[in-house]
Amino acid sequence: MKRIVTSCFLLILLAGGVVFALDRWSASFISLVRYGYFSLPSFMERRTVMIDDRTVSFLLARFARGEKEWNMATSPSTPKSIHEWRTHLGADFVVNGSYFSATGEPTGFYQTPTFESVVAWPDFSNEVKPIGYTFAVWIDDGDLDIGYIPNMTTPPAPNIAAFASFPTLILNDQPMVEKDSGALARRTMLAKDSKESMYVIVTESGEL
């Protein structure tokens, strides 16, 4: 009987140790089980939010100006997955950008130093005309940057890789989207803070 009591006591201590360990390492343990890794690199963090009845997890990657060398690439004739692009380019970080039709044609302004845009720069002179492409993304001397097109006096120079996209979610701390489109998907977002740091935000899980 004494051996049984001793064994139960040791089992309770062991269980207590496991609970303590799981509580201490719960975040790393959950990351390993759910995402396949213990921790994120120093430039990245995870944010999880509830949107209506959906749980959405975001990964935020922050890059100071000059920290990374950025470039833009496209291959309409031979489309590639993100993983294939990363392998092909030998890149540290790859995200989808711009919008293309099923035939590989840009649906908005898109240019590289060797590719002239087949779509004109968005025109905001006529406010009655509905405009979708409201922000620009460009790469100048290896630095990634973004801007609100209605506030830009001229389009990026022809020798600069750039594209127009939509929608602008937040401008000067103010929300720019008035209603939910209802089109649920995983999204990629670009943002810039007051210190000129760039953020690449991807939907890790869930839809918004």
Side-chain angles (χ1 to χ4, degrees):
M1 180 69 178
K2 184 177 181 181
R3 178 177 293 179
I4 294 175
V5 172
T6 303
S7 298
C8 289
F9 181 68
L10 289 173
L11 196 60
I12 290 170
L13 285 178
L14 189 62
V18 170
V19 169
F20 173 79
L22 287 179
D23 179 63
R24 182 177 179 182
W25 299 102
S26 59
S28 296
F29 181 76
I30 291 171
S31 291
L32 177 65
V33 171
R34 187 170 183 181
Y35 306 109
Y37 46 79
F38 273 112
S39 60
L40 296 171
S42 59
F43 63 84
M44 189 177 289
E45 63 178 285
R46 177 178 290 113
R47 302 273 183 93
T48 301
V49 298
M50 287 295 299
I51 302 175
D52 297 327
D53 59 344
R54 305 188 308 278
T55 301
V56 183
S57 176
F58 300 101
L59 288 178
L60 286 80
R62 176 185 177 277
F63 302 99
R65 185 169 293 278
E67 183 177 351
K68 292 283 184 182
E69 182 178 348
W70 296 86
N71 213 326
M72 203 163 74
T74 184
S75 181
S77 59
T78 55
K80 297 176 178 62
S81 67
I82 290 292
H83 177 73
E84 289 169 338
W85 270 120
R86 185 178 178 192
T87 302
H88 175 71
L89 298 171
D92 295 323
F93 202 88
V94 176
V95 294
N96 262 335
S98 193
Y99 290 84
F100 289 78
S101 69
T103 58
E105 292 292 321
T107 58
F109 181 89
Y110 180 96
Q111 71 176 24
T112 70
T114 58
F115 180 86
E116 183 179 352
S117 181
V118 296
V119 180
W121 182 251
D123 179 14
F124 283 85
S125 60
N126 183 357
E127 296 182 3
V128 177
K129 183 180 178 181
I131 298 291
Y133 289 79
T134 56
F135 76 88
V137 180
W138 66 92
I139 299 168
D140 189 9
D141 198 25
D143 270 332
L144 180 69
D145 210 342
I146 59 175
Y148 186 54
I149 293 176
N151 291 346
M152 299 174 65
T153 55
T154 58
N159 63 325
I160 291 179
F163 63 89
S165 193
F166 67 91
T168 300
L169 300 176
I170 299 172
L171 179 67
N172 298 328
D173 299 330
Q174 298 300 313
M176 301 292 287
V177 178
E178 296 180 354
K179 62 180 181 179
D180 192 334
S181 68
L184 298 179
R186 294 192 177 186
R187 307 292 185 180
T188 302
M189 292 155 278
L190 296 176
K192 183 171 67 171
D193 65 16
S194 58
K195 297 180 180 179
E196 297 292 311
S197 294
M198 290 297 305
Y199 292 81
V200 180
I201 307 168
V202 295
T203 314
E204 184 179 37
S205 64
E207 295 177 322
L208 71 155

